[in-house]
Amino acid sequence: MFSVSKLLFSAALTLGFSAVGGEAASCTHPSVRREWRKLSFPERTEFISAINCLARLPHTDALTPSVNRSISNIPPVNASGGYWDDIVYIHMDLNTRIHNTGLFYPFHRFYVNAVETAMKERCGFTGAFPYWDWSIDAHDVENSSLLGDHNPISGLGGWGDPSKDFQVQNGGFRNLEVVYPIPHIIRRNFTLQPFLPFASVPMFTNLTKYANESFTPEVVRDLLDWTPGDFVGFQASMEYPEGPHASVHFILGGDLSGECPKGSPADCIPQPTFSANEPIFFFHHAMVDKVWFDWQNKNPDNFWAYKGGSVQNLTSVQALKDWPNGMAPELTLDSTIPADGMFPEVTIRDVMNTTGGYLCYVYE
């Protein structure tokens, strides 16, 4: 509902130019990412099949965690898991480096693209990665049509069964078993006021807030109207504790919010480190990426706007205000995006332009 203008969209498709800068690029036929509900039955079926295909592939020894587990607070690599679990582990391992730092937008853009590439190269996927426009559903997430399709080959399935630890019982992911933090089928648990348990966490300052208030069409419109060139403020508005990014995670509950499954060890920390277990994680982050894409293309001052630190500081409300996207050492466009050995590493500069060559897509 808030895509790049028709003129820029057409230019990107036909010429392969940067939508704002007009610079020639090697991407001449970008794929077009569409909202999930605009996909046809065969397209949805192919997507779900490709995700399940990745889950059936074996673990790869290429996975090389780079963060000390005393910092990441996650379990060790479980080699009995599959390739999908390896993909999830990247997000777990890097969680303190890619949230509330300058890597937030670049890493997640890179991450969604890496999964799409793996789907194509390993499982024959031919489509473009879809996104979930959560602003459409903000008024009534619980009854969203996104989760209303229980078709076993083309549907995402619905909410989990409370009597079965909220594990999803229908749709194309009803058998998607993941291994982190312990083996279980993916879970969804609608939670309208998810911030109530965080009374002891200083960064959460509006505990009674209804999560769906944070990702309405009006909120998204305000994001796109954010001060031209102010990348730090734009990111902070997306990523603050009760903001759009976190609220979507928490309102779906279960794996997307990092709720520990029943039977988890006592040291399981409820946090969205393993939220990538849930395929909707990537729909969500494709939408986050779309908001960034639309902001970039709305004003020439936004397209290459970038600034951020490499060190997360969530020790207090004041620290978050002082360093909303990280403390020094500062990141630059030439800083490398970590991938834990799973995917070829690229620089932040490489992902700034979605039709720049390394990336080759636009949003409908």
Side-chain angles (χ1 to χ4, degrees), residues 118-140:
M119 292 165 68
K120 291 178 176 178
E121 294 181 348
R122 293 171 177 262
C123 296
F125 180 62
T126 61
F129 212 93
Y131 64 93
W132 171 29
D133 184 350
W134 18 256
S135 71
I136 294 174
D137 300 295
H139 68 288
D140 188 6

Side-chain angles (χ1 to χ4, degrees), residues 9-28:
F9 182 78
S10 176
L13 284 176
T14 59
L15 301 177
F17 289 173
S18 162
V20 169
E23 299 174 355
S26 58
C27 169
T28 55

Side-chain angles (χ1 to χ4, degrees), residues 263-283:
S264 294
D267 61 356
C268 178
I269 300 175
Q271 56 177 329
T273 53
F274 52 86
S275 55
N277 279 337
E278 164 68 89
I280 291 177
F281 169 99
F282 295 94
F283 288 40

Side-chain angles (χ1 to χ4, degrees), residues 237-314:
S237 291
M238 172 65 78
E239 209 189 1
Y240 75 91
E242 297 100 346
H245 168 250
S247 291
V248 173
H249 272 275
F250 285 120
I251 201 168
L252 261 68
D255 281 59
L256 197 63
S257 71
E259 296 174 6
C260 294
K262 286 183 179 178
S264 294
D267 61 356
C268 178
I269 300 175
Q271 56 177 329
T273 53
F274 52 86
S275 55
N277 279 337
E278 164 68 89
I280 291 177
F281 169 99
F282 295 94
F283 288 40
H284 169 35
H285 277 281
M287 177 62 180
V288 170
D289 183 55
K290 181 184 186 300
V291 174
W292 181 24
F293 171 89
D294 285 345
W295 183 75
Q296 283 184 295
N297 285 287
K298 186 168 184 179
N299 188 298
D301 291 338
N302 297 344
F303 197 79
W304 289 101
Y306 180 76
K307 179 178 174 59
S310 59
V311 178
Q312 179 192 85
N313 189 336
L314 299 178

